[in-house]
């Protein structure tokens, strides 16, 4: 029995913005540029930078790249 390791084909992309709407816009633009990408995981977080007391939003996407999007 042959076992395939799909985890070796996964990649991670991070989006950071000062607003949740900004992160959404960054994700939408990226997804439009890679229409054949299969997203396998999404984590959305917000953090406060202790040095400046500013709120920052981030999204981390785990995805499987597509050969069709490499061109």
């Amino acid at each position: 029995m042959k076992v395939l390791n799909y985890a070796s084909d996964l990649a991670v992309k991070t989006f950071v913005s000062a607003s949740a709407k900004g992160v959404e816009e960054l994700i939408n633009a990226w997804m439009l540029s890679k229409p054949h990408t299969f997203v396998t995981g999404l984590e959305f977080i917000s953090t406060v930078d202790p040095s400046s007391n500013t709120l920052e939003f981030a999204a981390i996407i785990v995805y499987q790249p597509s050969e069709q999007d490499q061109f």
Side-chain angles (χ1 to χ4, degrees):
M1 179 178 170
K2 184 177 179 182
V3 177
L4 300 176
N5 183 4
Y6 291 104
S8 65
D9 295 336
L10 296 179
V12 176
K13 179 78 175 164
T14 303
F15 303 91
V16 179
S17 180
S19 70
K21 181 71 172 166
V23 171
E24 179 184 2
E25 291 169 356
L26 291 170
I27 292 171
N28 287 339
W30 180 75
M31 291 297 293
L32 285 173
S33 72
K34 303 205 177 289
H36 303 286
T37 297
F38 178 69
V39 174
T40 60
L42 170 66
E43 178 78 19
F44 191 81
I45 58 172
S46 62
T47 61
V48 175
D49 181 357
S51 63
S52 63
N53 283 337
T54 57
L55 186 60
E56 194 172 69
F57 296 88
I60 302 166
I61 293 180
V62 178
Y63 66 98
Q64 185 174 17
S66 170
E67 291 179 5
Q68 294 174 314
D69 290 333
Q70 301 299 319
F71 303 105

